[in-house]
């Protein structure tokens, strides 16, 4: 029997790792436009590509559908051009900028958050620059891991880079896609799912511990000079 938590819920943590697409920025329409054009150019039904592409590395999608094009050079080229061609279809997730600013404010000079994305550096950095969000020191992009989500490699690496002593550190992951949620859970994190690209049922089925509509449903506070901070999930999606 599943027990539904009572909101608001407070979770103590040391660090936070964010996915990017669908979590900090809503790039869904841009990515749909990209894969729709790609599918038409290569005689592949776009819906077939879109059924499994979200939350995964582009090169993994190429390997599945057009293996003869699956190279780092082509992946870089496609993702470098995506924001230039379809950036007008992208926007920020509600509350994202404010939450990042608050995290930096409560631990000045000691950034406690990072990003783990399936996008390449050219794509991810352009999205952040477009919306005035900082590129964190811990910025795990597709080319930094051998295995993409749902493998936990990226989140394990991000946690290690953020945590001086992993044995006592707690990490929260924010994700929207089932592949990323499974990766966060496999890395041992508490996962907060965002219903920006998938239904609440799909997010819960993937294993999310809590589900919110957007990042406006999240507060963070530091109690005194504690090394932890408290993340509050204000309401459920």
């Amino acid at each position: 029997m599943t027990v539904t938590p009572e909101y608001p819920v407070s979770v103590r943590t040391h660090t936070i790792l964010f996915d990017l697409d669908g979590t900090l920025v809503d790039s869904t329409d841009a990515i749909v436009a990209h894969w729709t054009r790609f599918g038409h150019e290569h005689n592949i039904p776009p819906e077939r590509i879109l059924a499994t592409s979200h939350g995964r590395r582009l090169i993994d999608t190429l390997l599945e559908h057009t293996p003869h094009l699956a190279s780092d050079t082509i992946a870089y080229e496609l993702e470098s051009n995506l924001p230039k061609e379809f950036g007008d279809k992208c926007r920020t997730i509600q509350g994202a900028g404010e939450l990042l600013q608050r995290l930096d404010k409560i631990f000045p000079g000691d950034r406690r958050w990072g990003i783990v994305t399936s996008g390449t550096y050219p794509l991810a950095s352009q999205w952040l620059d477009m919306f005035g969000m900082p590129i964190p020191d811990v910025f795990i992009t597709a080319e930094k891991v051998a295995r993409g989500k749902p493998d936990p490699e990226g989140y394990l690496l991000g946690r290690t880079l953020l945590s001086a002593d992993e044995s006592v550190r707690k990490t929260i992951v924010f994700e929207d896609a089932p592949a990323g949620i499974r990766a966060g859970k496999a890395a041992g994190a508490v996962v907060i799912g965002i219903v920006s690209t998938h239904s609440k049922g799909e997010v819960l089925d993937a294993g999310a511990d809590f589900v919110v509509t957007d990042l406006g449903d999240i507060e963070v506070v530091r109690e005194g000079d504690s090394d932890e901070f408290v993340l509050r999930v204000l309401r459920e999606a």
Side-chain angles (χ1 to χ4, degrees), residues 145-236:
V145 296
R147 299 174 301 278
K149 303 171 185 178
D151 192 279
E153 180 183 350
Y155 282 120
L156 290 171
L157 176 60
R159 185 181 67 187
T160 297
L161 294 175
L162 279 175
S163 303
D165 184 355
E166 279 192 85
S167 65
V168 299
R169 297 278 176 164
K170 303 173 185 175
T171 301
I172 291 176
V173 162
F174 282 90
E175 266 283 0
D176 68 297
I181 292 168
R182 293 187 181 101
K185 292 301 295 181
V190 171
V191 177
I192 299 177
I194 299 174
V195 290
S196 60
T197 58
H198 292 76
S199 70
K200 180 179 177 181
E202 289 172 316
V203 169
L204 286 171
D205 287 346
D209 297 285
F210 307 103
V211 184
V212 297
T213 300
D214 54 46
L215 296 177
D217 293 335
I218 302 296
E219 286 184 349
V220 288
V221 296
R222 184 182 184 185
E223 297 177 342
D225 59 356
S226 172
D227 190 44
E228 295 182 314
F229 56 93
V230 179
L231 184 145
R232 293 175 180 156
V233 186
L234 301 179
R235 61 191 69 85
E236 185 180 31

Side-chain angles (χ1 to χ4, degrees), residues 82-111:
L82 200 157
K84 301 180 183 74
E85 297 173 332
F86 303 111
D88 61 324
K89 300 180 183 297
C90 187
R91 62 182 179 84
T92 59
I93 294 292
Q94 178 69 33
E98 294 84 354
L99 179 57
L100 298 184
Q101 290 174 8
R102 178 61 180 159
L103 286 169
D104 282 345
K105 184 176 181 179
I106 62 177
F107 283 103
D110 181 18
R111 183 162 283 164

